[in-house]
Amino acid sequence: MFRNGLEPWHLLILVVVILLVFGSKKLPDMARSLGKSARILKSEAKAMKEDGKQSADTAQSAEEPTPAQRTIQAAPGDVTSSRPVNEPTDTTQR
């Protein structure tokens, strides 16, 4: 009864419905914000990988250097939205 997969007319109907729901003026803004979010997610994932490698290296060495403060930049060349990131510290008393 139903076939697996999307046919081209399915995609055409989907695009028409999206245009009707959101309007053509809001789509570029939505795409831009989605791109910024993807860039931020990618930079955070890269930073987490680097932190994992650094923690493995510091576990092997005896001394622990102080980590440098990172700056997350939302878009290349966009200095208005860059902000320093405070690293979390474990200050809870157990």
Side-chain angles (χ1 to χ4, degrees), residues 32-33 35-37 39-40 71-84:
R32 192 174 302 115
S33 65
K36 282 184 180 182
S37 299
R39 272 187 239 114
I40 290 172
T71 300
I72 297 176
Q73 196 168 8
D78 183 16
V79 295
T80 59
S81 63
S82 62
R83 57 182 166 62

Side-chain angles (χ1 to χ4, degrees), residues 11-27 30:
L11 295 175
L12 181 65
I13 291 174
L14 183 64
V15 168
V16 169
V17 168
I18 289 173
L19 279 173
L20 289 174
V21 171
F22 294 110
S24 61
K25 292 185 179 183
K26 291 218 178 206
L27 287 179
M30 291 173 56

Side-chain angles (χ1 to χ4, degrees), residues 51-64:
D51 286 346
K53 288 179 185 177
Q54 287 178 357
S55 65
D57 291 341
T58 56
Q60 292 175 355
S61 66
E63 64 184 50
E64 187 174 320

